Amino acid sequence: MAAFFSSLASRLKSGILGFPRWLLRLPLRLLRGLIGVVKLAAGRGRPEPHAVARARILLCMLVFGCVYVAICGRLAMFASAPDGALARRGMGSDAVASARPDILDRNGLVLASDVRSSSLFGEPKRIIDVDEAVEAVTAVLPDLNGEEMRQRLSTSRGFVWLKREISPQQQREIYNLGLPGIGFMTENRRVYPGGTLGAHVLGSTNIDNQGIAGIEKWIDTRGLSELHLAGFATDRQQEPVELAMDLRVQHVLRDELAAAKEKFKAIAAAGTVVDVRTGEIIAMASLPDFDANDQAKSLDPKTLNRLTTGVFEMGSTFKALTFAMALDSGRFNINSTLDARGALQFGKFRIHDYHAENRVLTLPEVFLVSSNIGTAKMALSLGVDYHKAFLGKAGQLTRLRTELPESAMPLVPKRWGELNTATIAFGHGLAVAPLQAVMAVDALMNGGLLIPPTFLKRTPEEARALATQLIKPETSAKMRYLLRLNAEKGSASKMNEQAAGYYAGGKTGTAEKVIGGRYSKTKLLTTFTGVFPMDDPHYLVLVMLDEPQAAPGTYGFATAGWNSGPTTGKIISRIAPLLGIMPRKELPPVESLLTNYTLAQAP
């Protein structure tokens, strides 16, 4: 070890390590020189008088040089600091509107972005005349509360906000007043070019540019809020967030929902378009909605997102799940029959059909006439536990979690007996978020895969990795057959007329709303679930109208087949070309949905 250090010392002396010997000795020489200058300046060792003078001048030059270097370094740091960074040092606990990533639709169109805006602040310790400052500023900003401003400027704080997000004209006028202690800070302000388009999905931000709802709030939960607190998200450009939403489809969906809401005098309307293969939510709208640029309206209970935050009894739309359960169990097939000649009696409760056939029905006929009796008998034959387990597997009994923080817990019966199974089979007695029902119907169409819905872009491979098998692929083929058959011969025929050429299928749902603890015959919730094209399902469209009224041409009816159904057809006919699906002149017969699947599975 001693030999090693001896060798190292000799190499250092000879400069073998790659450093010149004069460079290694330079710091030592400078230190010795500085010590010598200090000694001469102090007059130690009886030096010559002129040497002492020179040393003192040199020492002063060194001191002043160090001071100027420090000043220059500080100025360089200030010059490179982002706008408003200096004022933030005296802010204490006051928040600053930090930068957020852009939000884009699936085609790269901007849905939300930051713009720079000026905010007015005061430094009470530097204010010379508070009354003069208040009078001058309120003359430019008449909406500013003068008394509140006077109280803020009379404190001993180093920084107070006076007005956030002022216009460039207001900034120029206040600047020209030349008031000491009144300054401006450049902040980030969130803007939504689409206004109401996709507002429930995007959500909104508060005055400090922090997410308070929707995807904006989700972004904060992904680490942005921590960056804000640490001060690292002030001006940094961040990777944009790409949504599954297609802005073109979103526009069509909202446009048709608004038209239907007005035509049928509904108190609310909602709808969504979902890719059944990936679970991507291509569009979602709930009316009444709000302008995302109006922060106060984003949390208004009147504009809640009925598809995720509200829970509803989905009516006959839920029958599709009962049919899938029955067919998948092996106890029923397409040729099975059910007796619908009399009402079901449970004590004082009677279950009957809206349009009673009073005869034995085949399973497809039960679907076409939307028989409550036939559907309830299928569920009862499988048993309460089987029914409850299937709905649990389909994700209908627990809260649906997506990127949106707003979600609602289903209303599930505390005591689940045969009466509950009978009514839930046709969509009464269990209230779920509509997006939950959409997730389950997706699985009935895509080959049986239950895929969690998402508002972000997702590949088919990623979707399959997250999926669970809800029903067998052959059961899915039978369900596609039933939905297409319903479009040709059943309650979905009005939808089929509007979506001619797109080989769509669907199921109506009309639920009586509970008013004062009783089901109302006049206040309805109508839903329609449409899927296209049925021989290769790509997209599902859900339309929901709350308390629609009869309109000209509906012959006094206010059920789903007369309002939600045609609205769905109009949406399909407008969005299909945008999504790359063209109308066909010749459509395959509905029976081919069964025969083609059977042939495809043959060895």
Side-chain angles (χ1 to χ4, degrees):
M1 186 63 69
F4 170 77
F5 282 112
S6 176
S7 172
L8 182 61
S10 62
R11 294 171 68 187
L12 282 171
K13 290 181 182 179
S14 59
I16 295 176
L17 288 180
F19 295 98
R21 283 180 291 180
W22 66 269
L23 185 60
L24 295 171
R25 295 172 181 172
L26 182 60
L28 184 60
R29 289 179 176 176
L30 290 175
L31 181 60
R32 287 176 179 173
L34 182 59
I35 293 173
V37 169
V38 173
K39 287 182 177 180
L40 284 173
R44 296 180 61 183
R46 295 183 179 181
E48 297 181 2
H50 67 277
V52 174
R54 285 198 303 270
R56 289 176 177 173
I57 293 172
L58 181 59
L59 184 60
C60 289
M61 292 173 62
L62 288 173
V63 171
F64 279 106
C66 291
V67 171
Y68 279 115
V69 168
I71 292 174
C72 291
R74 192 68 170 169
L75 289 174
M77 184 185 72
F78 288 165
S80 62
D83 293 341
L86 306 182
R88 295 187 185 109
R89 296 180 177 275
M91 290 180 57
S93 60
D94 290 281
V96 179
S98 299
R100 302 180 65 81
D102 286 350
I103 301 178
L104 311 178
D105 87 332
R106 66 185 305 109
N107 300 311
L109 298 177
V110 176
L111 300 174
S113 186
D114 283 348
V115 296
R116 310 285 281 180
S117 66
S118 294
S119 294
L120 183 68
F121 69 87
E123 297 175 282
K125 294 180 180 180
R126 295 183 56 214
I127 299 291
I128 298 174
D129 189 332
V130 173
D131 292 331
E132 179 190 4
V134 171
E135 183 178 351
V137 172
T138 53
V140 180
L141 303 173
D143 60 329
L144 204 59
N145 188 310
E147 185 57 35
E148 183 179 344
M149 179 181 174
R150 183 176 287 104
Q151 292 177 1
R152 290 192 174 201
L153 294 180
S154 298
T155 64
S156 58
R157 298 179 64 185
F159 180 97
V160 292
W161 283 119
L162 299 179
K163 175 75 173 178
R164 307 290 284 275
E165 299 178 4
I166 62 175
S167 69
Q169 177 64 26
Q170 291 171 332
Q171 181 182 7
R172 284 192 295 270
E173 292 182 18
I174 296 174
Y175 177 79
N176 291 334
L177 295 174
L179 297 172
I182 301 295
F184 308 95
M185 182 184 299
T186 303
E187 295 188 285
N188 295 292
R189 179 168 62 91
R190 201 65 161 169
V191 295
Y192 303 89
T196 57
L197 279 181
H200 282 104
V201 175
L202 297 173
S204 189
T205 60
N206 60 17
I207 192 67
D208 297 315
N209 220 25
Q210 297 168 342
I212 57 175
I215 288 294
E216 294 284 22
K217 189 173 183 179
W218 174 80
I219 290 173
D220 280 13
T221 64
R222 304 291 290 180
L224 186 62
S225 57
E226 286 77 7
L227 289 177
H228 284 164
L229 292 174
F232 294 130
T234 304
D235 299 287
R236 180 176 300 174
Q237 293 296 320
Q238 301 162 60
E239 287 295 321
V241 176
E242 294 183 297
L243 299 187
M245 180 189 296
D246 188 319
L247 195 58
R248 305 167 303 170
V249 177
Q250 180 71 32
H251 168 74
V252 171
L253 177 66
R254 187 187 184 280
D255 185 53
E256 291 295 343
L257 287 177
K261 180 175 178 290
E262 181 179 357
K263 177 179 179 180
F264 299 107
K265 303 298 186 290
I267 64 173
T272 186
V273 179
V274 182
D275 189 326
V276 303
R277 302 161 300 175
T278 63
E280 293 174 292
I281 298 170
I282 307 299
M284 176 180 284
S286 180
L287 304 177
D289 55 8
F290 59 94
D291 188 334
N293 295 293
D294 188 349
Q295 301 159 348
K297 294 291 182 66
S298 63
L299 300 179
D300 188 342
K302 296 178 181 178
T303 61
L304 66 85
N305 185 353
R306 284 169 165 76
L307 294 164
T308 59
T309 309
V311 292
F312 305 90
E313 295 182 354
M314 297 298 290
S316 295
T317 302
F318 232 60
K319 288 177 181 173
L321 298 183
T322 306
F323 274 77
M325 174 186 70
L327 290 169
D328 204 60
S329 70
R331 296 274 300 274
F332 294 87
N333 57 50
I334 291 294
N335 299 315
S336 297
T337 58
L338 293 127
D339 189 350
R341 287 177 292 187
L344 291 177
Q345 190 78 35
F346 291 88
K348 62 179 180 178
F349 299 102
R350 287 171 59 87
I351 295 176
H352 55 83
D353 287 338
Y354 185 69
H355 294 293
E357 293 286 322
N358 294 314
R359 62 185 178 88
V360 175
L361 302 173
T362 65
L363 188 142
E365 287 176 331
V366 172
F367 195 83
L368 292 179
V369 301
S370 200
S371 170
N372 294 338
I373 297 171
T375 306
K377 284 187 173 182
M378 280 194 297
L380 290 170
S381 69
L382 296 174
V384 172
D385 293 337
Y386 191 97
H387 185 214
K388 190 174 181 180
F390 180 83
L391 292 179
K393 186 179 178 182
Q396 303 303 297
L397 305 182
T398 56
R399 187 190 301 269
L400 175 64
R401 299 291 186 182
T402 65
E403 291 81 11
L404 297 191
E406 301 87 13
S407 63
M409 185 71 184
L411 299 181
V412 182
K414 293 181 180 179
R415 299 180 62 184
W416 192 314
E418 286 193 342
L419 177 59
N420 301 102
T421 282
T423 59
I424 291 172
F426 55 83
H428 285 76
L430 174 64
V432 301
L435 191 59
Q436 283 184 277
V438 166
M439 174 181 67
V441 177
D442 282 348
L444 308 189
M445 298 294 103
N446 66 14
L449 297 177
L450 187 71
I451 304 172
T454 180
F455 291 90
L456 305 178
K457 292 181 73 172
R458 178 192 283 166
T459 65
E461 293 73 24
E462 293 170 337
R464 283 193 290 271
L466 297 170
T468 57
Q469 196 76 38
L470 177 63
I471 58 174
K472 296 186 284 289
E474 53 266 32
T475 304
S476 178
K478 295 172 184 176
M479 291 306 302
R480 292 196 292 270
Y481 164 77
L482 289 176
L483 263 68
R484 177 57 191 171
L485 186 67
N486 194 40
E488 293 186 359
K489 301 179 180 180
S491 60
S493 59
K494 299 294 181 184
M495 178 280 300
N496 194 41
E497 293 173 7
Q498 296 292 337
Y502 293 103
Y503 205 54
K507 183 71 185 80
T508 54
T510 302
E512 297 174 352
K513 295 179 66 175
V514 178
I515 306 296
R518 300 176 65 87
Y519 285 106
S520 170
K521 297 293 184 181
T522 58
K523 296 184 182 299
L524 306 176
L525 178 77
T526 67
T527 60
F528 191 94
T529 307
V531 182
F532 69 101
M534 292 309 297
D535 50 352
D536 184 18
H538 279 49
Y539 300 100
L540 179 148
V541 179
L542 172 75
V543 169
M544 183 170 70
L545 297 177
D546 195 351
E547 297 186 21
Q549 306 299 313
T554 66
Y555 306 98
F557 293 105
T559 51
W562 293 95
N563 45 56
S564 297
T567 302
T568 303
K570 292 177 181 179
I571 293 171
I572 291 174
S573 66
R574 291 180 63 182
I575 69 173
L578 298 175
L579 296 170
I581 299 176
M582 296 296 111
R584 290 178 277 180
K585 293 182 179 180
E586 295 184 5
L587 299 175
V590 65
E591 292 78 15
S592 67
L593 295 175
L594 293 176
T595 57
N596 289 347
Y597 178 81
T598 303
L599 291 173
Q601 300 303 308

